[in-house]
Amino acid sequence: MKNLQKDYEMLSAYIDGELHEDEIKNTEEKLAIRTDLQKKLDELKKIKKLTKSSFKIPAESPYFETRVFANLNRSKNRYKKFKTILPAFSFAVLAVLLMVFLKLNPNILQDLFETQKINIADFYKQNLKPLLLTAGLTNEDIFNFALNKQLPLDKNNKQYIKLGYDQNGKEFFEIKPAGLANEENTFEDFVSALKLNSQQKRQMDSILGSYADEMEDQILINDKNTVAISPEIWNYNKAIFADIMSFAENACNEEFVKIMPAGYRMHEKPMIDKMVKEIKSRNSNKYIFFTPDSIFMDNFEFDKEKFDDEMKKMEKELQKDMKQVKKELKDLNIEIRINDHITNFKLDSLWDDDFSVNVDSNSCRVKLSKVIIPKIDMLDLDSIAAQIERSLKHIPSFTFKFPDDNRGMNEFQFRINSEDSAALKNLDIKIKLPNLDSIMLHQSPKIDSIMRFNMKYLDSIPNYGKFNFFLDPDSFKIPTQFFTFDSLNFNQEKFEKQMKEFEKEMNKLRERMDKFQDEYYKDQKEIKKKGKKAPIEI
Amino acid sequence: MKFTKKKTGLENLKILNLDDDFSLVKRFIEEDESAFETLVRRHKDKVRNIIFITLGNANTVDDIAQEVFLTVYKNLKSFRFESQFTTWLFRITVNKCKDHLRKVKIRSVISFFKEDEEEPGYHLSYENINTAEIVQKGIAKLPEKLRVPLLLKDIEGMSYQEIAEIVKCELGTVKSRIFRAREGLKNILEPYRQELMS
């Protein structure tokens, strides 16, 4: 059956003239002997004839060509038009696709930025080392940090970090050059004012030393000019201050009372200890990173143990003592460059609106709001100063009058009357002087030294040394800057020395004048001698 | 010594026969629009015939032919010279016809209208019946895959090879389909044997 079908197909191809020579030969041989094939061949030929004859192609429309070319021209113009708008169209399509893509993946850009931020942050977080080890801070620096809230970042470059509180009581810190920092060495004054003995001094050093160790990971730096500061540094500032004051009060209460404002007492020691313990046990990984091109806040875990191990290993391997290693680390040139570039940072989402960074040519101030400070009332020198200022407003000026004839008197009495009896009661003051006349005539500078004694109370209060005293001995008021901090530091020995030098200079001048006089007389005598000769005629 | 530039086969062809299809296509690619007009004039009849053969409807022939030449115009610059231009052209024509039939089928399903005029070759009236109409009706009843090779062979006189390239199938398949088409047509026309014989 299959072969028969194939034979018929061959017949169909045969009448179409689509067979090869051997196929034709084979087919014709079969046709010669098989009648069924002959019959099928006739049928196929008839069908082919019918098909050919019955199918007439319809006539072409007279406008066919015209229409074809008109359509082509229209299409060409459309294509050209499309070509001109293709760039804009492509751009629009791309924009729409991008919008759709971003709509479907809203976090992709954020993720991208976050990844970049993390990469940059990781770069700046490398090799962070404790600042205290490299800057070689002394106990005096720690003490100054407690009192003045400033800490040198690098002694070579003389940059300081200063903590502070703004008008709203929000914490801020700023980095500024040493020229703008308070460079008073209050530690020495404090120790001498308390009259600490050597053992107490050692105890004080031990307290400060312990904080130096504790604060190691509060400020970190690396060779990429990154400074990482932990906001916990405020708490340490309070803790150190409280600890020092508590120690001072307990160690030398008598002297402590003298240097502190009247009536001020520190909290009970257990309370201070509790607060210090709480601060030391806090384990915050948050750091504010200052880098050459950005400021940001991020988590960073400083592995203190690992760092200590590394230091020990280094010490062992290099067979150098710790001082040498520290010296090498000290040579690292760390500098925070404060310039316009530092403003190109993006606020981290972790910050709220209260966070702000102010940069000028001299300093960089970062205001914070998320520093958690223990709720313990502390001695706040700033607030005490403000309190004293408020009190002083009630006595903007006061007068005291010397008796008309005060010679021989060695006791003076004057009264300060205050309108605000609640703030300051009327005060009678007696001043006894052994011999005021002699002091006024011969040793007037000593008055300054006497007053300096009184002003010790105000040593711890910055910039409140100006009082206006009005002397009215002859009903003639002379406004006088009676004493300021500068005048309090009058050095009598130095003055006497200067006067002696001045006297020497004057003696030298006198000798030169004498010499000059002698020469002058000598010249006059010679002129007189020459005058006896006859004048020369011209 | 005189140097003569060695000419490639294609250049010789170009010089000898500038009017062949390949040369015209080349000229069109080189922005000679008149070459395309020549191509249209040369092949429009064949294209129209194939459309009529495939669809069996004279009304749509010109429209489909327009579409064919528009498509050729848009795509001619990407012609790869791997086959005859006519093979490429007729394949486009057959595809356009298939697209048209598909559209008609979909439209009829959606609109519930029976579009009689779109059905291939069904314009026969039994009242005025004649041999040609009977045969045309019979051919129209053949399935497309049998009808098109049969007509390309018997009406257009194409070789099996050309048909195979246009309808994209094997040579043996074309041979088989043409035979089956003839057998089918014989069976369809069996009731009209008397009329056809007379």
Side-chain angles (χ1 to χ4, degrees):
Chain A
M1 187 70 186
K2 214 172 185 182
N3 285 338
L4 188 65
Q5 180 77 12
K6 203 174 177 186
D7 288 341
Y8 288 168
E9 278 180 17
M10 293 301 278
L11 283 179
S12 175
Y14 176 73
I15 59 167
D16 286 335
E18 291 284 341
L19 293 182
H20 298 295
E21 279 183 19
D22 53 335
E23 286 173 329
I24 294 168
K25 197 181 170 187
N26 190 29
T27 306
E28 284 175 347
E29 280 173 1
K30 282 182 182 174
L31 274 169
I33 54 170
R34 285 174 58 183
T35 51
D36 63 319
L37 288 182
Q38 289 166 10
K39 197 181 168 189
K40 181 54 81 178
L41 183 68
D42 286 342
E43 275 178 17
L44 288 170
K45 276 182 179 173
K46 277 179 190 169
I47 291 292
K48 185 175 168 79
K49 196 180 171 187
L50 275 174
T51 309
K52 264 184 139 176
S53 62
S54 63
F55 228 91
K56 282 185 181 172
I57 303 298
E60 180 191 313
S61 153
Y63 306 108
F64 177 75
E65 271 189 35
T66 317
R67 277 178 62 200
V68 168
F69 295 128
N71 278 340
L72 287 177
N73 283 331
R74 208 180 305 143
S75 165
K76 250 191 290 182
N77 292 336
R78 218 179 296 153
Y79 182 66
K80 272 184 187 170
K81 210 172 177 180
F82 178 71
K83 242 176 142 179
T84 53
I85 63 162
L86 185 65
F89 181 74
S90 309
F91 184 76
V93 169
L94 274 173
V96 170
L97 286 174
L98 191 67
M99 282 165 72
V100 171
F101 180 72
L102 290 176
K103 183 82 182 167
L104 293 173
N105 304 283
N107 294 328
I108 195 157
L109 275 181
Q110 190 66 25
D111 291 348
L112 198 70
F113 289 137
E114 286 299 324
T115 312
Q116 286 299 318
K117 266 167 65 177
I118 289 165
N119 289 343
I120 293 170
D122 286 346
F123 172 75
Y124 284 118
K125 282 179 191 173
Q126 289 169 3
N127 297 325
L128 282 166
K129 302 274 186 290
L131 169 77
L132 291 180
L133 200 66
T134 57
L137 294 182
T138 61
N139 285 347
E140 287 171 11
D141 290 328
I142 301 292
F143 183 84
N144 284 337
F145 169 65
L147 253 67
N148 299 326
K149 297 188 181 67
Q150 64 181 32
L151 199 62
L153 286 177
D154 176 14
K155 287 190 172 176
N156 294 332
N157 290 300
K158 294 200 168 178
Q159 279 185 312
Y160 279 77
I161 178 171
K162 184 162 174 59
L163 312 183
Y165 301 90
D166 69 359
Q167 292 168 344
N168 301 322
K170 294 284 179 193
E171 292 76 12
F172 71 82
F173 64 79
E174 53 188 340
I175 294 172
K176 54 186 189 179
L180 297 174
N182 188 359
E183 289 184 342
E184 283 177 21
N185 189 358
T186 47
F187 180 58
E188 209 174 298
D189 292 343
F190 185 75
V191 170
S192 61
L194 284 175
K195 295 178 181 170
L196 296 178
N197 60 33
S198 58
Q199 191 189 343
Q200 287 168 330
K201 200 166 179 298
R202 273 201 301 278
Q203 282 177 327
M204 175 72 92
D205 285 342
S206 164
I207 291 169
L208 295 172
S210 73
Y211 278 104
D213 191 45
E214 286 287 333
M215 281 181 63
E216 259 188 9
D217 52 359
Q218 296 303 304
I219 304 178
L220 308 172
I221 54 171
N222 67 6
D223 53 351
K224 294 171 182 70
N225 278 328
T226 306
V227 177
I229 297 165
S230 166
E232 288 294 317
I233 202 165
W234 270 268
N235 292 332
Y236 273 98
N237 172 260
K238 290 208 166 198
I240 298 166
F241 184 83
D243 228 358
I244 291 168
M245 290 303 160
S246 175
F247 168 76
E249 190 179 29
N250 290 321
C252 350
N253 191 28
E254 200 178 324
E255 302 301 325
F256 181 76
V257 170
K258 282 182 189 173
I259 64 166
M260 295 314 278
Y264 181 82
R265 282 193 62 76
M266 286 300 294
H267 292 279
E268 294 299 318
K269 197 168 186 315
M271 204 173 170
I272 300 285
D273 290 345
K274 191 185 165 194
M275 185 199 79
V276 169
K277 200 177 170 187
E278 187 190 325
I279 288 170
K280 286 183 177 178
S281 64
R282 289 165 68 86
N283 192 17
S284 171
N285 291 333
K286 285 253 180 295
Y287 279 89
I288 301 154
F289 290 86
F290 284 80
T291 71
D293 51 29
S294 62
I295 298 172
F296 61 92
M297 189 180 188
D298 204 355
N299 286 331
F300 177 73
E301 198 162 342
F302 176 68
D303 195 341
K304 202 174 174 185
E305 285 178 15
K306 193 182 168 189
F307 177 75
D308 289 342
D309 288 346
E310 280 177 8
M311 291 301 290
K312 278 175 191 170
K313 268 185 195 172
M314 201 192 290
E315 191 181 15
K316 222 174 185 180
E317 284 170 10
L318 297 174
Q319 291 295 311
K320 289 178 180 176
D321 64 354
M322 205 55 190
K323 280 180 186 173
Q324 182 63 28
V325 177
K326 283 180 182 176
K327 199 181 169 224
E328 282 175 13
L329 284 169
K330 214 187 278 183
D331 292 339
L332 278 173
N333 186 22
I334 304 298
E335 184 192 357
I336 299 166
R337 293 188 191 89
I338 298 167
N339 54 29
D340 294 340
H341 297 299
I342 209 163
T343 55
N344 296 331
F345 67 91
K346 186 177 178 292
L347 286 182
D348 196 288
S349 55
L350 288 167
W351 297 103
D352 60 11
D353 294 339
D354 289 339
F355 174 70
S356 69
V357 179
N358 299 319
V359 180
D360 60 28
S361 57
N362 287 322
S363 67
C364 172
R365 173 181 286 202
V366 180
K367 195 173 94 179
L368 307 168
S369 65
K370 289 198 171 176
V371 185
I372 302 159
I373 309 288
K375 288 177 181 175
I376 296 172
D377 292 333
M378 297 291 298
L379 172 64
D380 186 353
L381 289 181
D382 292 340
S383 67
I384 292 166
Q387 198 179 340
I388 290 170
E389 189 187 19
R390 276 201 303 278
S391 303
L392 290 173
K393 276 180 184 170
H394 296 288
I395 40 171
S397 64
F398 61 93
T399 60
F400 57 90
K401 193 174 179 179
F402 290 97
D404 292 339
D405 185 9
N406 57 13
R407 273 173 288 182
M409 289 184 71
N410 62 352
E411 184 176 314
F412 294 89
Q413 185 175 351
F414 59 94
R415 165 172 288 201
I416 297 171
N417 294 317
S418 172
E419 290 174 5
D420 185 358
S421 59
L424 191 69
K425 290 180 179 177
N426 294 344
L427 193 66
D428 289 321
I429 298 173
K430 284 180 183 177
I431 297 176
K432 282 184 180 180
L433 296 173
N435 188 347
L436 191 60
D437 286 344
S438 61
I439 291 167
M440 293 300 287
L441 287 171
H442 305 292
Q443 292 180 319
S444 60
K446 283 189 176 176
I447 289 175
D448 286 344
S449 62
I450 292 163
M451 295 311 290
R452 187 171 59 190
F453 170 76
N454 294 329
M455 285 306 292
K456 273 284 182 186
Y457 293 103
L458 300 168
D459 266 353
S460 56
I461 304 162
N463 300 325
Y464 288 99
K466 285 187 179 176
F467 288 80
N468 286 326
F469 281 71
F470 293 91
L471 294 172
D472 190 14
D474 301 308
S475 302
F476 181 68
K477 289 185 178 179
I478 305 165
T480 308
Q481 291 270 343
F482 195 69
F483 56 84
T484 65
F485 273 134
D486 293 337
S487 64
L488 289 175
N489 294 329
F490 181 80
N491 190 329
Q492 192 180 349
E493 286 175 10
K494 195 177 175 185
F495 178 70
E496 282 172 1
K497 199 178 171 185
Q498 283 176 348
M499 289 305 290
K500 278 177 186 173
E501 282 175 3
F502 180 66
E503 197 176 355
K504 275 182 189 173
E505 289 293 322
M506 289 301 290
N507 286 335
K508 280 181 188 173
L509 184 64
R510 190 180 291 164
E511 283 170 12
R512 284 176 64 189
M513 288 299 290
D514 289 342
K515 200 177 172 185
F516 177 75
Q517 198 175 9
D518 290 342
E519 284 175 2
Y520 177 74
Y521 285 130
K522 199 177 172 183
D523 289 346
Q524 286 295 318
K525 280 177 187 175
E526 282 178 5
I527 289 165
K528 278 180 184 176
K529 278 180 188 175
K530 284 176 185 172
K532 286 176 184 174
K533 291 180 181 175
I536 299 166
E537 288 181 8
I538 301 171
Chain B
M1 194 176 169
K2 203 175 179 181
F3 289 96
T4 50
K5 196 180 173 186
K6 198 180 174 183
K7 289 192 164 100
T8 62
L10 193 63
E11 281 166 334
N12 287 331
L13 188 72
K14 199 173 174 181
I15 292 162
L16 292 172
N17 186 8
L18 288 173
D19 236 11
D20 69 310
D21 287 347
F22 275 5
S23 302
L24 288 169
V25 173
K26 256 193 126 184
R27 274 169 55 195
F28 175 76
I29 289 167
E30 290 161 1
E31 306 295 326
D32 182 0
E33 294 280 329
S34 66
F36 189 75
E37 290 176 14
T38 311
L39 284 169
V40 171
R41 286 191 189 102
R42 182 178 290 174
H43 298 293
K44 65 177 181 177
D45 290 340
K46 278 266 188 201
V47 169
R48 291 180 75 258
N49 290 355
I50 292 168
I51 294 166
F52 182 70
I53 285 165
T54 315
L55 301 177
N57 186 348
N59 297 334
T60 53
V61 170
D62 284 354
D63 291 337
I64 306 289
Q66 303 257 354
E67 282 181 34
V68 169
F69 285 114
L70 210 61
T71 306
V72 171
Y73 181 83
K74 284 178 185 168
N75 297 292
L76 193 54
K77 285 184 180 173
S78 58
F79 181 65
R80 287 180 291 181
F81 300 94
E82 287 170 357
S83 65
Q84 289 290 316
F85 169 73
T86 46
T87 308
W88 184 68
L89 174 68
F90 299 153
R91 199 184 299 152
I92 289 173
T93 309
V94 170
N95 287 339
K96 281 284 170 196
C97 293
K98 285 180 180 174
D99 288 347
H100 178 79
L101 288 173
R102 207 176 297 128
K103 278 180 202 168
V104 169
K105 206 171 181 181
I106 292 167
R107 221 180 294 154
S108 67
V109 169
I110 292 170
S111 65
F112 300 103
F113 288 112
K114 192 176 181 187
E115 298 182 35
D116 290 340
E117 72 279 4
E118 293 292 330
E119 289 188 21
Y122 287 172
H123 309 288
L124 301 174
S125 162
Y126 284 93
E127 289 164 7
N128 307 316
I129 201 156
N130 61 46
T131 311
E133 284 171 347
I134 292 167
V135 175
Q136 278 188 26
K137 189 180 175 184
I139 291 169
K141 282 185 177 174
L142 290 171
E144 184 200 311
K145 65 176 184 177
L146 301 183
R147 188 174 70 241
V148 173
L150 175 74
L151 294 177
L152 287 176
K153 179 68 206 172
D154 287 350
I155 309 299
E156 287 304 313
M158 288 182 183
S159 69
Y160 282 10
Q161 183 62 45
E162 284 174 317
I163 296 166
E165 283 174 11
I166 290 167
V167 298
K168 284 185 182 174
C169 66
E170 295 294 317
L171 194 72
T173 311
V174 173
K175 194 202 290 182
S176 169
R177 282 182 184 177
I178 289 175
F179 167 71
R180 281 163 57 205
R182 282 170 180 157
E183 278 289 286
L185 187 61
K186 189 198 87 179
N187 293 334
I188 291 166
L189 297 177
E190 190 62 35
Y192 307 98
R193 193 173 181 150
Q194 292 295 323
E195 288 86 343
L196 291 172
M197 289 303 147
S198 62

